[in-house]
Amino acid sequence: MSSKNSPSVPSRNPVGGHVPVAGGLASVGLSYARDLGAEAVQVFVANPRGWATPPGNPKQDEQFRAACAAERIPAYVHAPYLINFGSHTEATVEKSVESLRHSLRRGREIGALGVVVHTGSATGGRDRAVALRQVRERMLPLLDELTHDDDPFLLLESTAGQGFSLCSRTWDFGPYFEALDAHPKLGICLDTCHIFAAGHDLAETGGMKQTLDLLVDTVGEGRLKLVHANDSKDVVGAHKDRHENIGTGHIGEEPFRELMSHPATENVPLVIETPGGKEGHAADVARLKALRSR
Ligand SMILES: [Zn+2]
């Protein structure tokens, strides 16, 4: 959160982090965000490795919403990891629908601008086309339910390309968007570690620009709403989802500077999901802010 002498005009790319909220969305989450110097926040509204759909605490929700609005901190929700709209198991799909509906509702209640969900995979030896048809049948109605003015966007996050991932390269967003009729409430959360692991070499000269250009070519302008800024412990194309601190992995610092000067990231916040606890997170936020100003 901004300190007293921060500029009142928000930066082109607010930089923040995923913050823990166990014990209080506002009391714990926002104080952690302040310690990071975060200008944007991302939270879970449920156990990320479970299916529970807990109600919020109205007092904490209101405090969180009010503080984020007053300090112009864009907030995001990350939906649980178990969600898979491409699953061949009906029980998993049903729980995915309930879990994502919950995250979207909670997102509105806390004033979040977007809810991030993983694009999932075609399990059970299924055809991608069959899985994408199911994505259409089960996810599109949830997008159609977003009719309030303050409903969040649904942000698709591609994966590192493990297994039968439905979306890992930039062009994979094409069929996914098509399956969802390029719904107006649909956007993208680009995870730099995932897209690098999937095979886009952000570290080579011009690699970040080329990747962002490809993304815009696939889904059009204005769809990129959030960046998960993570370096990668593994080499390009490794299909491994192992985040590293900014500048110390195989992506390196320079591509993050390029990212924050590309037209597609105008007014798009960056959120880190890196290791190292609070100290590591604060250092990564500071590093990205320094890269932004250069
Ligand atoms: Zn991510």
Side-chain angles (χ1 to χ4, degrees):
M1 320 286 293
S2 52
S3 59
K4 258 182 255 152
N5 51 7
S6 299
S8 55
V9 177
S11 156
R12 178 195 196 273
N13 296 108
V15 171
H18 184 98
V19 300
V21 295
L25 183 65
S27 54
V28 174
L30 290 184
S31 76
Y32 192 100
R34 284 192 183 93
D35 291 345
L36 298 192
E39 303 162 332
V41 291
Q42 177 179 277
V43 297
F44 291 127
V45 289
N47 174 356
R49 300 177 199 285
W51 291 115
T53 56
N57 172 323
K59 231 181 209 164
Q60 289 285 321
D61 289 358
E62 185 44 39
Q63 270 176 35
F64 181 87
R65 197 186 168 111
C68 289
E71 299 176 47
R72 293 203 264 182
I73 306 289
Y76 300 85
V77 167
H78 198 306
Y81 300 133
L82 301 182
I83 291 176
N84 182 10
F85 281 78
S87 174
H88 70 297
T89 308
E90 178 55 23
T92 301
V93 184
E94 269 169 33
K95 285 183 211 152
S96 296
V97 170
E98 285 321 304
S99 178
L100 184 55
R101 180 180 280 128
H102 169 260
S103 282
L104 287 164
R105 180 174 54 78
R106 293 288 299 128
R108 175 161 54 86
E109 288 169 357
I110 69 168
L113 302 181
V115 171
V116 178
V117 67
H118 290 172
T119 40
S121 56
T123 58
R126 267 176 155 190
D127 221 57
R128 281 166 80 93
V130 174
L132 281 176
R133 263 204 300 282
Q134 180 173 284
V135 167
R136 176 183 181 79
E137 280 162 24
R138 312 304 287 268
M139 199 185 270
L140 192 51
L142 294 178
L143 281 158
D144 285 334
E145 287 172 16
L146 302 175
T147 55
H148 304 84
D149 286 343
D150 55 351
D151 270 324
F153 279 87
L154 178 61
L155 307 182
L156 302 175
E157 178 177 11
S158 58
T159 62
Q162 320 91 315
F164 300 94
S165 174
L166 288 174
C167 204
S168 61
R169 305 300 295 262
T170 54
W171 44 83
D172 295 333
F173 281 112
Y176 214 103
F177 261 57
E178 213 173 288
L180 296 169
D181 293 343
H183 195 282
K185 291 300 270 186
L186 195 59
I188 284 177
C189 170
L190 179 74
D191 188 306
T192 52
C193 173
H194 297 181
I195 206 85
F196 181 75
H200 291 278
D201 194 355
L202 307 177
E204 71 179 0
T205 308
M208 178 63 84
K209 180 185 182 299
Q210 190 193 37
T211 303
L212 289 167
D213 287 349
L214 280 168
L215 189 64
V216 174
D217 285 349
T218 303
V219 296
E221 285 174 14
R223 294 290 188 164
L224 179 61
K225 306 281 190 194
L226 181 65
V227 170
H228 281 169
N230 302 305
D231 209 325
S232 170
K233 282 192 202 292
D234 302 282
V235 296
V236 61
H239 302 297
K240 289 201 177 130
D241 183 5
R242 298 200 307 154
H243 300 182
E244 181 56 284
N245 296 102
I246 306 296
T248 60
H250 286 273
I251 296 176
E253 272 189 2
E254 183 58 19
F256 290 98
R257 196 192 58 72
E258 286 174 29
L259 179 134
M260 289 184 275
S261 61
H262 192 284
T265 67
E266 179 96 51
N267 301 321
V268 174
L270 276 64
V271 163
I272 55 150
E273 303 171 317
T274 50
K278 200 195 272 181
E279 272 176 38
H281 297 158
D284 279 337
V285 167
R287 201 164 291 133
L288 287 169
K289 285 182 182 173
L291 288 165
R292 174 178 72 188
S293 63
R294 253 195 267 147

Coordinates of all heavy atoms in Angstrom, one line a residue, residues 157 191 194 228 230 243 273, ligand 1:
E157 N -5.8 -18.0 -16.9 CA -4.3 -18.1 -16.7 C -3.9 -19.4 -17.3 O -4.3 -20.5 -16.9 CB -4.0 -18.1 -15.2 CG -2.5 -18.3 -15.0 CD -2.0 -18.2 -13.5 OE1 -2.9 -18.2 -12.6 OE2 -0.8 -18.1 -13.3
D191 N 1.0 -15.3 -16.8 CA 2.0 -15.7 -15.8 C 3.3 -15.9 -16.6 O 3.4 -16.7 -17.5 CB 1.6 -17.0 -15.1 CG 2.5 -17.3 -14.0 OD1 3.8 -17.4 -14.2 OD2 2.1 -17.5 -12.8
H194 N 4.9 -19.4 -16.3 CA 4.2 -20.4 -17.1 C 4.4 -20.3 -18.6 O 4.6 -21.3 -19.2 CB 2.6 -20.3 -16.8 CG 2.3 -20.5 -15.4 ND1 0.9 -20.5 -15.0 CD2 3.0 -20.8 -14.3 CE1 0.9 -20.7 -13.7 NE2 2.1 -20.9 -13.2
H228 N 1.0 -12.1 -13.7 CA 1.7 -12.8 -12.6 C 3.2 -12.7 -12.9 O 3.6 -13.4 -13.8 CB 1.2 -14.2 -12.5 CG -0.1 -14.4 -11.8 ND1 -0.8 -15.6 -11.8 CD2 -0.9 -13.5 -11.1 CE1 -1.9 -15.4 -11.1 NE2 -2.0 -14.1 -10.7
N230 N 6.6 -13.6 -12.3 CA 7.4 -14.6 -11.7 C 8.6 -15.0 -12.5 O 8.4 -15.2 -13.8 CB 6.6 -15.9 -11.4 CG 5.3 -15.7 -10.6 OD1 5.4 -15.1 -9.5 ND2 4.2 -16.0 -11.1
H243 N 8.3 -21.3 -9.6 CA 8.5 -19.8 -9.6 C 9.8 -19.5 -8.9 O 10.2 -20.2 -8.0 CB 7.4 -19.1 -8.9 CG 6.1 -19.3 -9.6 ND1 4.9 -18.7 -9.2 CD2 5.7 -20.0 -10.7 CE1 3.9 -19.0 -9.9 NE2 4.3 -19.9 -10.8
E273 N 4.2 -13.9 -7.3 CA 3.9 -15.2 -6.6 C 5.2 -15.9 -6.5 O 5.3 -17.0 -7.0 CB 2.9 -16.0 -7.4 CG 1.6 -15.3 -7.8 CD 0.8 -16.1 -8.8 OE1 1.4 -16.7 -9.8 OE2 -0.4 -16.2 -8.6
Ligands
ZN1 ZN 0.3 -17.5 -11.5

